[in-house]
Amino acid sequence: MRVMLHCNMSASDVSLQLGLEDLLGDLQFARRNGDLGRLALLAYCEVRRWARMAGEQELAKHSVEIINNIPHASREQFMAQVDELIVELEQAHFRVTGRVPDLPA
C-alpha cells in the first residue's frame, strides 16, 4: 500500500516529505544532545525554509519568533519552545503524509 501511495504522490510532495523527515531527525538529535546552536540554526533557517515551501505559514512564523524573541528567560524556556516546534513539525508530517510519524525509540 505504501508503494501505491508514493506512486500517487508528485515529486514535490515526496521531496517535502523526505525533507521534513530529515529535518525532524536533525532537530530531535540536536535536542537530545542539548546543542543550542544547532537547534537555533535548524529552527530559524531550516524549519522556516521547509515551512514556506510547504505553505505552512504559521509554522514558518513560529520558527522565526523562537529566535527573534530573544533573550530567552532561560535555557529551559528555549528548549520548551523547541519542543513545541518539534510537535508542530510532527503535526505537519501527519498533514503531508496522512499518517502519524514514527516515534523515536
Side-chain angles (χ1 to χ4, degrees):
M1 181 175 202
R2 186 175 174 124
V3 174
M4 298 234 347
L5 176 65
H6 283 290
C7 291
N8 293 332
M9 294 175 71
S10 72
S12 64
D13 291 341
V14 171
S15 178
L16 281 174
Q17 177 183 342
L18 294 175
L20 177 56
E21 290 170 359
D22 287 344
L23 183 53
L24 272 167
D26 287 346
L27 274 168
Q28 291 165 340
F29 181 78
R31 175 63 176 95
R32 274 193 308 275
N33 292 314
D35 188 343
L36 294 178
R38 181 83 176 136
L39 287 169
L41 174 73
L42 289 168
Y44 186 74
C45 297
E46 299 301 321
V47 172
R48 183 174 56 129
R49 182 187 61 80
W50 182 89
R52 286 180 174 171
M53 288 184 344
E56 298 273 345
Q57 300 309 320
E58 287 300 312
L59 184 56
K61 181 181 172 189
H62 185 216
S63 72
V64 170
E65 289 172 350
I66 287 174
I67 304 305
N68 286 343
N69 292 341
I70 54 176
H72 295 282
S74 67
R75 174 188 175 104
E76 290 75 25
Q77 182 192 33
F78 175 73
M79 295 300 238
Q81 290 178 339
V82 168
D83 290 341
E84 290 173 12
L85 190 63
I86 291 171
V87 168
E88 288 179 46
L89 281 167
E90 289 170 341
Q91 292 168 349
H93 186 268
F94 179 74
R95 290 189 295 274
V96 169
T97 64
R99 66 181 180 88
V100 176
D102 298 331
L103 296 175

